[in-house]
RNA sequence: GCGGGGAUUGCCGAGUGGUCAAAGGCGCUGGACUUAGGAUCCAGUUCUUAGUGAUUCGGGAGUUCGAAUCUCCCUCCCCGCACCA
């Protein structure tokens, strides 16, 4: 049996015991104050992996730490199944998507070894309920298999009817508080499915990053009153319009839209239909039919011609653009092309004289450019024609950026003169819209296709419901809550703040996915978006057990009941009548909520800050009274493996279910906890896991050696033992301080690794001590480590705790109080002193390259301590100068005798100002420390004789005059 | 673009004004041991030196008795920007 086999068995043994004894099932009646921690429930559409494990592991360490620090810890778990993923899996299994099938066979095979059964299970996933059930069950087993100290009696899923009632209630409250608004909203839309699409629905959606762009459609009036609508992102350039471009050979429609007649491309007409417009097509025309006609430019009232241009894309916005050759490189290039293109001029019978008269009109002045930036850039980049797309694209980008950020509107723009382009853009748009000369036209930022193959366009949904996170009062209150919260690590507070700042109206209902039906539009197929399922559900944990135990029906979970439990509104008797629930049950639920809430700590991954964690704060302040607001969040970064992000496509995922077999649970927990701080992306590397394994094994061996030790009473520990005890105490104290500050890494480093090193060290320095003493000391230390490290390596700790004949679960055992005394501090200082001394000796030995027979150690005379002390005193208030030291020394009774030496010494001191901060031992104590370790020092250097001298002693052996070089904490050395 | 985070010695990663040439791990080199294991232990891993010295923490400038740590500028990298959980 190897070590790992051993501890794997031990892990199973203790998990079973914890389950049987319901060690972590929480009860209200406890002598300890409650502490309620949540880690967001996982999404049950697939197995979790070691990356998720990092987050839950930290949650568990917090929970176990608090449990061993005098709290009645409550850590429940549930499952998220709403939204689109679970539904999508079911759909793809049903439609026999090969890739998804294979993936899910893989997933299920993690848990079900029999391939026939695994296949049956996957087949059953055509029903979405089975997906959710299978993985919810698998994940809770994963968690318990990791030794997480969960209360697993509170499970539910967000698809449960009872839960839906709770979410309905949430929306009822939000609506009462006027936080839900209604309006129109542009979204990405599949023209085939007639449905909203998200990144997952778009072909290569993860790479394309398609967005909604808002263009301004500007109405240029034709002589017959019909509008030719040209779309632009730069409406402020309307003052520089010289002509309109239209694709001569493409199909355009004359349409009746909202009571007007427009000409736009055929594609545009289709798109506009989805953007809140009533459209009927009057006739179809070719672009060339309007070429050469004149239109009136809005605002300027100029008459400009319509010219043909093949660069115009009819499938982009309205398929018509207006030309601003001064500021738009494409337009300039197209203009020049046309002016030189006699064939086209002839073909469309253009007025050559008029065409040649067209010159760029400058309307923006921008630093670093002349009047016509587009002309300049085209020349600079040597643009040959409008087909020079790459160069033109680059020129366009450059000008757009430069003009947007540093452009100023010129005289020609009338009342907009002097405005920055950034502002003029909005001002001109408003003006145009006011005069009904412009309208918003939405287009996708990139051309994209739905997975179904159809084109994706932008549609405008009417009567869309929003959560109005932009509501001033709401935001203000959320900020107030945030300011009172503890965020760990605190650097993420800024991320919250910036999220809060940009949060605005957010659509809160969907047509796709699983979830709670939106109560205000029953029957219309609107589902509450699934993030609302993750924001106040922590409160639901406090009552779910009562609901299940009492078999309460969903229809009994009326808003009045929730109002009473959560908001203390209404009367118990009335609620009892309304719900047909006994007052006892209602009372029990209310007491449970009031006992557990608020949720003292919510721990999760950094990635969730900008969505559900922020929303959790918003929803809490909107719904609950202040005393139930969230007090604290803690965050951790993600985990990668061997330098690579984990992903199913990379096939480098370690599922949680495989951790116990692959590594062992405690090993994984230990390594995850110590590998990096929470705010660092952790890299899981096999070669480094090995280190944790070796240390764990070493600890296991050390501890098992102590199992049978009978402690010797009334022991007076020798010097090395005292030093050892102090150093372990100091380490443990640091560990406790670290975990108190939520710093799990330091907790493990100090509490575990540093102590193992201390034990190693002790084995060396205590070799000559009596066996009883060594064993007693070691046993004492190991027992302490077991208790304090139990949150990280609970299984091994339980086993050792038991083997050492201790009663009860170590998981429930309270941490000892560790007090660091002055003596401990002095011991640590001595240990440090000795280790520096050893290093110095070693260094010299190495340089000398011979083995010394005698080691003379010269400790400084005490007056040097006094000199340092005086210098340190001066240093506290001002910069230290030689003169200052000298004059202070002159005044000191002790020092005035040594003025000559002090002059040299002071020069030395100034070279290294750090010595003004060192802690010192008196000459006598330095000597004592060395003597306490004499044997060890001697042994370390092939039994050389160790001789200690104090510089001030008379008649010391000092042939090389070393003694005077000794400084406090830094003895001089002579090796013979 | 806006907002945020970051750059540490071969690698990962600690470290926010002073025992910092910089923890710990990995890797590499040498040695010990030898039930020969991809185990364990020890030493080394910027240069220099019978020690207490020099140059280092993306680049440059500054503040300070003292800077990896503070300030400013520059370069580069990462993340978020919503209907996606």
């Amino acid at each position: 049996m190897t070590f790992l086999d051993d501890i794997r068995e031990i892990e199973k043994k203790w998990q079973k015991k914890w389950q049987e004894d319901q060690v972590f099932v929480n009860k209200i009646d406890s002598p300890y104050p409650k502490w309620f921690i949540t880690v967001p429930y996982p999404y049950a559409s697939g197995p979790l992996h070691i990356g998720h494990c990092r987050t839950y592991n930290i949650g568990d360490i917090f929970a176990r730490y608090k449990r061993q620090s005098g709290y009645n810890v409550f850590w429940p778990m549930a499952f998220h199944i709403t939204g689109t993923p679970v539904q999508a899996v079911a759909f793809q299994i049903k439609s026999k998507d090969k890739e998804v099938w294979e993936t899910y066979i893989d997933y299920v095979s993690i848990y079900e070894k029999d391939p026939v059964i695994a296949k049956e299970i996957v087949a059953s996933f055509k029903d979405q309920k089975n997906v959710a059930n299978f993985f919810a069950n698998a994940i809770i087993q994963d968690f318990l298999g990791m030794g997480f100290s969960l209360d697993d009696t509170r499970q539910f899923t967000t698809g449960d009817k009872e839960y839906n009632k709770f979410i309905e209630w949430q929306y009822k409250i939000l609506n009462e508080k006027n936080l839900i608004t209604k309006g129109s909203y542009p979204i990405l839309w599949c023209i085939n499915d007639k449905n909203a699409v998200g990144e997952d629905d778009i072909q290569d959606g993860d790479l394309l990053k398609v967005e909604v762009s808002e263009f301004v459609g500007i109405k240029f009036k034709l002589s017959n009153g019909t509008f030719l609508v040209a779309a632009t992102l730069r409406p402020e350039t309307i003052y520089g319009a010289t002509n309109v471009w239209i694709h001569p050979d493409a199909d355009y429609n004359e349409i009746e839209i909202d009571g007007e007649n427009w000409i736009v491309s055929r594609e545009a007409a289709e798109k506009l239909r989805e953007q809140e417009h009533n459209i009927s097509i009057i006739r179809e025309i070719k672009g060339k039919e309007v070429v050469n006609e004149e239109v009136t430019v809005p605002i300027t009232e100029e008459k400009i011609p319509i010219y043909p241009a093949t660069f115009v894309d009819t499938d982009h916005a309205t398929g018509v653009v207006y030309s601003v050759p001064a500021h738009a490189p494409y337009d300039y290039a197209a203009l020049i092309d046309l002016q030189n293109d006699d064939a086209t001029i002839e073909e469309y019978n253009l007025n050559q004289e008029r065409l040649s008269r067209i010159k760029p009109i400058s309307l923006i002045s921008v630093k670093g450019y002349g009047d016509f930036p587009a002309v300049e850039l085209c020349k600079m980049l040597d643009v040959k024609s409008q087909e020079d797309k790459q160069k033109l694209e680059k020129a366009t980008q450059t000008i757009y950026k430069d003009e947007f950020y540093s452009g100023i509107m010129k005289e020609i723009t009338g009342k907009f003169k002097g405005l920055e382009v950034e502002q003029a853009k909005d001002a001109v748009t408003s003006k145009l819209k006011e005069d009904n000369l412009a309208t918003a036209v939405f287009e996708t930022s990139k051309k994209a296709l739905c997975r179904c193959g159809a084109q994706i366009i932008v549609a405008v949904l009417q009567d869309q419901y929003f959560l109005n996170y932009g509501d001033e009062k709401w935001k203000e209150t959320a900020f107030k809550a945030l300011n009172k919260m503890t965020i760990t690590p605190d650097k993420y507070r800024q991320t919250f703040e910036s999220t809060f700042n940009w949060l605005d109206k957010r659509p809160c209902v969907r047509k796709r996915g699983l979830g709670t039906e939106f109560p205000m539009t029953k029957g219309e197929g609107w589902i509450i978006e699934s993030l609302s399922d993750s924001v106040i559900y922590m409160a639901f944990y406090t009552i779910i057990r009562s609901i299940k135990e009492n078999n309460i029906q969903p229809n009994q979970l009326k808003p009045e009941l929730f109002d009473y439990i959560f908001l203390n509104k209404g009367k118990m008797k009335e609620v009892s009548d309304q719900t047909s629930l006994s007052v006892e049950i209602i009372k029990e639920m209310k007491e449970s909520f009031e006992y557990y809430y608020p949720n003292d700590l919510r721990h999760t991954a950094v990635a969730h800050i900008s969505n559900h964690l922020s929303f959790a704060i918003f929803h809490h302040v909107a719904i609950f009274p202040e005393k139930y607001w969230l007090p604290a969040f803690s965050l951790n970064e993600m985990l990668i493996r061997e330098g690579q992000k984990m992903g199913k496509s990379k096939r480098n995922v370690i599922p949680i279910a495989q951790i116990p077999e692959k590594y062992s649970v405690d090993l994984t927990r230990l390594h995850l906890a110590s590998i990096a701080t929470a705010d660092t992306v952790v890299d899981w590397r096999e070669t480094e896991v090995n280190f944790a394994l070796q240390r764990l094994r070493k600890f296991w061996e050390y501890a098992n050696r102590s199992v049978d030790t009978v402690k010797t009473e009334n022991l007076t520990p020798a010097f090395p033992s005292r030093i050892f005890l102090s150093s372990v105490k100091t380490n443990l104290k640091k560990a406790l301080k670290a975990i108190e500050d939520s710093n799990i890494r330091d907790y493990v480093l100090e509490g575990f690794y540093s102590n193992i090193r201390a034990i190693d060290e002790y084995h060396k320095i205590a070799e000559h001590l009596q066996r009883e003493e060594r064993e007693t000391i070691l046993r004492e230390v190991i027992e302490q480590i077991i208790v304090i490290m139990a949150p990280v390596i609970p299984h091994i700790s339980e086993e050792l705790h038991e083997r050492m004949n201790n009663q009860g679960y170590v998981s429930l055992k309270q941490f000892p109080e560790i007090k660091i005394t002055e003596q401990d501090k002095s011991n640590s200082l001595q240990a440090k002193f000795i280790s520096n001394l050893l290093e110095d000796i070693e260094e010299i030995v190495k340089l000398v390259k011979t083995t010394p027979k005698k080691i003379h150690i010269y400790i400084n005379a005490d007056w040097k301590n006094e000199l340092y002390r005086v210098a340190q005193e001066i240093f506290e208030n001002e910069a230290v100068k030689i003169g200052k030291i000298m004059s202070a020394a002159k005044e000191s009774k002790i020092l005035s005798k040594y003025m000559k030496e002090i002059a040299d010494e002071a020069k030395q001191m100034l070279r290294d100002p750090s010595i003004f901060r060192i802690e010192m031992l008196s000459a006598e104590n330095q000597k004592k420390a060395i003597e306490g370790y004499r044997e060890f020092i001697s042994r370390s250097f092939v039994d050389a004789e160790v001789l200690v001298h104090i510089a001030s002693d008379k008649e010391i052996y000092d042939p090389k005059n070393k003694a005077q070089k000794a400084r406090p904490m830094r003895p001089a050395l002579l090796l013979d």
Side-chain angles (χ1 to χ4, degrees):
Chain A
M1 284 279 259
T2 68
F3 164 66
L4 280 180
D5 290 333
D6 273 350
I7 62 171
R8 281 183 193 123
E9 238 168 64
I10 287 162
E11 282 160 2
K12 285 193 192 115
K13 165 182 162 187
W14 287 99
Q15 284 167 12
K16 195 160 160 244
K17 278 177 178 274
W18 291 332
Q19 278 290 300
E20 281 167 4
D21 289 354
Q22 301 219 326
V23 177
F24 305 120
V25 173
N26 193 276
K27 307 225 170 52
I28 278 193
D29 54 345
S30 157
Y32 296 121
K34 68 91 186 180
W35 193 73
F36 177 17
I37 176 175
T38 60
V39 181
Y41 40 34
Y43 199 92
S45 64
L48 264 42
H49 57 68
I50 196 163
H52 301 105
C53 197
R54 181 185 187 195
T55 305
Y56 291 96
N57 189 45
I58 293 172
D60 189 51
I61 292 172
F62 284 147
R64 286 175 173 275
Y65 153 66
K66 280 287 179 181
R67 200 176 283 115
Q68 288 186 252
S69 308
Y71 289 91
N72 180 30
V73 170
F74 177 41
W75 185 22
M77 189 53 66
F79 298 94
H80 195 186
I81 67 163
T82 41
T84 49
V86 162
Q87 197 182 44
V89 171
F91 179 79
Q92 283 158 330
I93 292 294
K94 197 158 45 178
S95 61
K96 307 242 185 280
D97 183 308
K98 194 165 164 256
E99 207 177 307
V100 174
W101 259 87
E102 278 169 12
T103 306
Y104 274 79
I105 291 283
D106 281 353
Y107 285 172
V108 170
S109 305
I110 296 167
Y111 303 96
E112 178 51 63
K113 298 293 170 234
D114 185 333
V116 180
I117 300 178
K119 207 171 167 193
E120 276 169 26
I121 292 172
V122 174
S124 79
F125 286 174
K126 63 182 191 290
D127 181 348
Q128 58 199 25
K129 266 269 178 290
N130 292 334
V131 180
N133 284 341
F134 181 84
F135 287 108
N137 185 52
I139 291 166
I140 195 78
Q141 291 311 319
D142 286 352
F143 284 172
L144 296 175
M146 284 303 298
F148 294 157
S149 57
L150 292 164
D151 179 342
D152 61 346
T153 63
R154 317 269 181 157
Q155 294 177 54
F156 61 88
T157 82
T158 55
D160 295 350
K161 293 269 188 311
E162 298 81 6
Y163 187 75
N164 295 154
K165 289 290 170 189
F166 174 66
I167 294 299
E168 262 184 43
W169 172 77
Q170 174 184 205
Y171 266 70
K172 180 193 143 249
I173 303 287
L174 292 171
N175 190 42
E176 281 168 8
K177 306 220 163 164
N178 288 320
L179 297 173
I180 297 176
T181 60
K182 211 167 137 180
S184 64
Y185 193 71
I187 50 159
L188 297 175
W189 185 263
C190 169
I191 52 173
N192 179 39
D193 299 344
K194 294 277 173 206
N195 218 334
V197 292
E199 193 177 291
D200 293 342
D201 307 307
I202 299 171
Q203 292 184 15
D204 299 321
D206 49 336
L207 303 172
L208 277 178
K209 300 276 176 216
V210 185
E211 290 165 25
V212 172
S213 306
E214 182 173 348
F215 285 75
V216 181
I218 299 181
K219 304 173 190 175
F220 292 78
K221 202 176 211 165
L222 285 151
S223 54
N224 64 3
T226 300
F227 291 109
L228 187 59
V229 181
T232 180
L233 286 169
R234 304 196 53 188
E236 77 281 5
T237 59
I238 191 73
Y239 291 93
T242 57
N243 62 282
V244 171
W245 298 116
I246 196 162
H247 198 298
D249 304 317
D251 296 328
Y252 285 80
N253 284 170
E254 184 175 343
I255 57 175
E256 192 192 320
I257 173 168
D258 309 331
E260 295 174 345
N261 286 6
W262 288 9
I263 291 173
V264 291
S265 72
R266 186 170 48 76
E267 296 91 330
E270 288 304 312
K271 291 175 193 168
L272 286 167
R273 199 189 292 283
E274 301 290 348
Q275 295 181 5
E276 258 193 315
H277 298 289
N278 288 316
I279 289 175
S280 53
I281 294 170
I282 299 169
R283 64 188 180 110
E284 295 184 0
I285 59 168
K286 289 281 180 198
K288 65 180 76 159
E289 292 176 45
V290 291
V291 164
N292 237 348
E293 285 195 37
E294 271 193 343
V295 290
T296 310
V297 180
I299 304 182
T300 68
E301 302 288 324
E302 295 285 328
K303 299 261 195 261
I304 58 171
I306 301 170
Y307 286 145
T310 52
F311 78 87
V312 176
D313 180 358
T314 52
D315 191 21
H316 188 248
T318 59
V320 180
V321 293
Y322 67 86
S323 178
V324 189
H327 300 281
Y330 270 110
D331 293 339
Y332 177 69
L335 178 65
I336 299 297
D337 284 354
L338 186 63
Q339 285 174 338
N340 295 324
D341 184 355
D342 294 336
T344 305
I345 292 171
E346 193 172 324
E347 182 182 351
Y348 297 105
N349 194 22
L350 306 181
N351 180 332
Q352 183 125 33
E353 191 268 333
R354 175 158 194 189
L355 175 59
S356 62
R357 243 186 16 233
I358 291 185
K359 292 277 176 308
I361 302 170
S362 175
L363 70 136
I364 293 166
S365 72
V366 52
K367 229 177 22 202
Y369 293 93
D371 283 339
F372 309 108
V375 181
E376 273 178 47
L377 269 184
C378 281
K379 288 199 173 128
M380 202 163 87
L381 294 171
D382 193 26
V383 172
K384 296 269 191 316
S385 78
Q386 59 188 301
E387 297 304 321
D388 239 347
K389 296 212 163 128
Q390 250 182 345
K391 288 178 184 169
L392 284 167
E393 200 51 47
K394 190 174 167 210
T396 304
Q397 298 267 334
T398 309
I399 293 182
Y400 186 93
K401 216 193 288 178
D402 290 345
E403 293 191 343
F404 186 78
Y405 291 103
S406 57
I408 303 290
M409 303 300 281
K410 286 189 172 175
E411 187 82 38
I412 187 174
T413 61
K415 69 173 183 175
F416 300 108
K417 176 193 151 197
L419 275 188
E420 287 171 21
V421 169
E422 204 174 342
Q423 282 130 32
K425 189 189 283 282
D426 292 338
V428 173
T429 306
S430 305
K431 164 83 176 130
L432 286 167
K433 284 186 177 168
E434 229 167 76
D435 299 348
N436 196 25
L437 288 167
T439 192
V441 174
F442 296 97
E443 182 56 275
T444 57
S445 61
K446 290 175 184 145
K447 295 202 173 163
L449 296 178
C450 180
R451 290 211 189 275
C452 76
Q455 191 187 4
I456 285 170
I457 62 158
V458 176
V460 173
L461 288 184
Q462 300 183 49
D463 295 342
Q464 169 79 19
Y465 284 87
F466 299 87
L467 281 173
N468 189 9
Y469 293 122
D471 182 283
E472 249 174 64
K473 190 80 196 308
W474 196 6
K475 212 172 245 202
E476 201 180 294
T477 320
F479 264 110
K480 182 180 159 198
L482 176 63
N483 290 336
K484 287 168 64 180
M485 286 179 74
T486 306
I487 307 287
T488 317
D490 194 66
K491 73 173 189 185
Y492 294 117
R493 185 178 294 279
Q494 280 165 301
T495 318
F496 278 100
E497 283 169 1
S498 61
T499 303
F500 280 24
N501 279 328
W502 65 251
L503 269 179
D504 198 0
K505 291 194 180 97
R506 181 187 160 90
C508 62
V509 292
R510 306 248 178 89
K511 289 261 178 181
R512 318 183 303 136
L514 296 171
T516 303
E517 188 175 14
F518 188 57
M520 282 138 76
T521 54
K522 285 242 158 138
E524 291 177 26
W526 287 103
I527 300 295
I528 293 174
E529 63 83 36
S530 77
L531 271 170
S532 292
D533 287 334
S534 331
V535 289
I536 60 162
Y537 74 95
M538 302 73 111
F540 200 65
Y541 282 129
T542 67
I543 59 167
I544 181 65
R545 195 152 78 188
S546 298
I547 293 174
K548 289 206 168 151
E549 278 174 3
N550 297 299
N551 196 23
I552 299 174
Q553 295 306 302
N555 61 18
Q556 291 177 288
L557 297 171
K558 295 197 156 55
E560 291 79 4
L561 176 68
F562 292 128
D563 280 348
Y564 181 69
I565 296 172
F566 298 130
L567 307 179
N568 202 22
K569 280 205 287 201
K571 298 226 164 53
M572 177 144 43
K573 186 74 190 57
E574 286 165 19
V575 176
S576 172
D577 290 344
Q578 283 160 330
T579 57
S580 329
L581 290 171
S582 72
V583 292
E584 286 76 22
I585 291 176
I586 297 172
K587 190 158 170 265
E588 177 188 281
M589 292 165 89
K590 189 166 196 291
E591 277 176 2
S592 174
F593 171 71
E594 288 173 355
Y595 175 74
Y596 288 119
Y597 235 63
N599 174 191
D600 299 279
L601 178 69
R602 186 157 176 79
H603 177 82
T604 188
V606 170
H608 298 129
I609 293 177
S610 63
N611 45 58
H612 95 234
L613 283 182
S614 287
F615 300 155
I617 297 174
F618 272 81
H619 287 236
H620 269 79
V621 304
I623 290 166
F624 294 109
E626 191 166 341
K627 65 176 169 176
Y628 295 135
W629 291 358
L630 294 158
F633 286 158
S634 74
L635 291 314
N636 67 265
E637 259 291 357
M638 60 182 298
L639 181 143
I640 59 176
R641 191 176 170 203
E642 309 289 347
Q644 298 250 303
K645 271 195 182 182
M646 286 194 291
K648 54 186 174 206
S649 54
K650 292 206 181 82
R651 303 205 163 270
N652 61 349
V653 177
I654 305 170
I656 294 183
Q658 290 174 355
I659 287 176
E661 270 309 302
K662 198 169 161 61
Y663 301 104
S664 116
V665 175
D666 276 357
L667 170 60
T668 304
R669 294 176 60 113
L670 177 70
H671 189 53
L672 277 176
S674 60
I675 191 167
T677 47
D679 60 342
T680 310
V681 176
V682 150
D683 191 0
W684 181 269
R685 301 180 181 187
E686 295 299 324
T687 54
E688 294 185 354
V689 181
N690 192 47
F691 163 75
L693 170 62
Q694 303 315 335
R695 291 308 145 101
L696 197 61
R697 174 192 281 156
K698 192 183 235 181
F699 178 67
W700 176 249
E701 281 163 7
Y702 281 159
N704 275 300
R705 268 187 243 162
S706 280
V707 160
D708 298 322
T709 298
V710 180
K711 283 198 241 180
T712 310
E713 300 292 329
N714 300 323
L715 192 82
T716 311
F719 188 79
S721 297
R722 290 206 306 272
I723 299 275
F724 171 57
L725 284 171
S726 288
S727 107
V728 169
K729 254 168 92 176
T730 309
N731 291 339
L732 288 176
K733 184 75 185 178
K734 281 188 201 158
L736 292 180
K737 175 79 174 67
I739 183 65
E740 205 176 294
D741 297 340
S742 308
N743 183 347
I744 287 179
R745 181 187 156 87
D746 281 352
Y747 163 55
V748 179
L749 255 34
E750 296 293 349
F752 192 72
Y753 291 110
S754 293
N755 279 332
I756 289 177
R757 223 171 299 130
I759 294 172
D760 283 342
E761 197 69 16
Y762 183 62
H763 281 297
K764 277 190 244 158
I765 62 171
E767 218 174 293
H768 64 292
L769 299 184
Q770 288 203 329
R771 203 176 127 197
E772 289 75 21
E773 172 172 344
R774 283 203 320 256
E775 289 185 349
T776 302
I777 300 271
L778 281 168
R779 161 89 184 215
E780 205 168 299
V781 160
I782 283 167
E783 273 182 307
Q784 282 195 336
I785 298 174
I786 288 169
V787 175
I788 292 179
M789 285 295 113
V792 182
I793 43 171
H795 308 86
I796 286 180
S797 297
E798 289 287 8
E799 181 69 19
L800 290 169
H801 189 250
E802 186 187 62
R803 289 188 188 184
M804 290 184 169
N805 284 320
N806 291 303
Q807 299 303 305
Y809 286 104
V810 75
S811 297
L812 301 176
K813 185 159 175 160
Q814 298 301 295
F815 281 170
E817 199 186 337
I818 307 258
K819 278 209 184 104
I820 303 294
T821 60
E822 281 307 311
Q823 190 54 52
D824 290 322
K825 284 183 195 159
S826 161
N827 286 346
S828 302
L829 193 55
Q830 296 187 40
K832 179 99 192 168
F833 169 67
I834 295 294
S835 95
N836 284 343
L837 178 64
L838 283 170
E839 272 173 38
D840 281 352
I841 300 175
E842 268 164 33
E843 197 161 338
I844 298 172
V845 167
K846 232 183 300 157
L847 290 166
V848 180
K849 293 191 186 110
T850 57
T851 327
K853 296 229 165 52
K854 287 183 179 174
I855 301 172
H856 294 274
I857 301 172
Y858 301 95
I859 295 167
N860 62 286
D862 253 329
W863 65 262
K864 283 198 186 173
N865 277 37
E866 177 62 11
L867 174 67
Y868 274 47
R869 199 192 57 73
V870 166
Q872 287 182 356
E873 213 166 71
I874 297 170
F875 176 76
E876 271 181 31
N877 306 310
E878 55 192 316
V880 178
K881 300 236 165 65
I882 291 195
K884 293 268 181 203
I885 297 176
M886 297 308 288
S887 55
K890 227 178 265 173
E891 278 166 37
S892 154
K893 267 187 200 150
I894 303 170
L895 296 177
S896 54
K897 292 182 240 167
Y898 304 99
M899 293 312 288
K900 206 170 160 204
E901 290 94 329
I902 287 172
D904 288 342
E905 195 69 27
K907 256 185 250 163
Q908 282 288 326
M909 290 166 80
L910 284 176
R911 279 218 226 143
D912 177 15
S914 69
I915 59 155
F916 294 126
R917 300 182 50 87
I918 60 165
E919 282 184 274
M920 294 177 289
L921 290 167
S922 67
E924 200 50 44
N925 281 339
Q926 291 180 56
K927 188 171 179 180
K928 270 191 201 155
I930 295 168
E931 261 150 21
Y933 271 94
R934 169 176 264 134
E935 274 192 63
F936 177 62
I937 298 172
S938 169
R939 228 180 319 122
S940 305
F941 298 99
V942 207
D943 295 325
E945 193 182 346
V946 175
L947 299 135
V948 190
H949 316 277
I950 296 184
S952 52
D953 287 351
K954 284 173 191 132
E955 293 178 27
I956 52 172
Y957 173 80
D958 187 12
K960 296 230 171 126
N961 214 12
K962 293 273 184 189
Q964 57 161 359
K965 286 192 176 170
R967 299 193 332 205
M969 303 306 274
R970 202 76 203 254
L973 298 167
L974 176 68
L975 309 191
D976 271 347

